[in-house]
Amino acid sequence: MSVALFSVSPSGKRRVDPDRWVDAAPFRAHLTHLCAASGLTWPVVALHAGLTLRHADALLHGREGRPARRLPRPAAQRLWQVEVGDLLVLRRTLLPADATAHRVAVLLERGTSAARICADLGWPPARLRSLLGRTPGRVTAVEALGVRALAESLDRVDQRSPVRDARAA
């Protein structure tokens, strides 16, 4: 179910519904703490928490040089439920590697170099070769989330508007 974060005033103007947004500061601190305590990257933590990379990036780094002041309540609630112990278990949680291997294959087909994938994920080339081998086996939940985060971040870069990129330059 989707929750509307805006309401319409009697004059027809869209306005922020204050009950649907929360102050970003405590959640920024929580996300920072989770990353520091678990040793995981913010994209991995964000995806595990059910946040979009866009929300997490804005929360940590702001937009256009301004820190995020608010966060949608549903995203904040999902993030607040994550504890360091939940994240530490991800390193030992094994998953079938098929979906992760497919994501890596798509990245390679789209022109992302194997060297870039290994560098971004902190993998030795042998790990990438084994994942793409005849029987990929298993990956940790951290590896699966890392590949998903890389794929989503590269998709975000590909989808950026040339106008926005020109403004940012």
Side-chain angles (χ1 to χ4, degrees):
M1 179 174 99
S2 178
V3 176
L5 298 175
F6 299 93
S7 60
V8 179
S9 70
S11 65
K13 290 186 179 178
R14 215 170 79 149
R15 64 179 179 207
V16 174
D17 186 342
D19 293 334
R20 308 250 189 239
W21 293 88
V22 296
D23 180 39
F27 300 96
R28 181 180 304 109
H30 186 58
L31 180 54
T32 302
H33 165 72
L34 290 171
C35 293
S38 68
L40 299 177
T41 62
W42 68 263
V44 168
V45 174
L47 290 176
H48 175 72
L51 298 181
T52 65
L53 294 182
R54 182 174 172 230
H55 276 139
D57 187 27
L59 182 62
L60 290 174
H61 306 112
R63 288 202 183 125
E64 299 176 9
R66 294 176 296 185
R69 293 186 343 236
R70 61 185 187 209
L71 186 66
R73 184 176 298 279
Q77 288 171 331
R78 287 191 302 272
L79 177 59
W80 203 252
Q81 292 174 355
V82 177
E83 297 177 3
V84 174
D86 302 331
L87 299 171
L88 296 176
V89 169
L90 296 177
R91 293 186 191 280
R92 297 185 311 271
T93 303
L94 295 177
L95 305 171
D98 297 336
T100 301
H102 177 73
R103 273 197 176 103
V104 169
V106 168
L107 287 172
L108 291 168
E109 288 171 8
R110 290 184 180 170
T112 306
S113 72
R116 163 112 192 246
I117 293 169
C118 288
D120 285 359
L121 297 173
W123 288 1
R127 177 64 182 126
L128 185 62
R129 284 192 301 274
S130 72
L131 181 66
L132 296 173
R134 190 174 293 231
T135 54
R138 297 194 172 275
V139 294
T140 67
V142 170
E143 289 174 321
L145 288 167
V147 169
R148 181 175 156 207
L150 177 60
E152 288 185 20
S153 68
L154 292 175
D155 283 347
R156 276 183 65 203
V157 169
D158 290 345
Q159 294 173 1
R160 283 195 181 146
S161 147
V163 173
R164 181 190 299 156
D165 289 345
R167 270 191 252 141

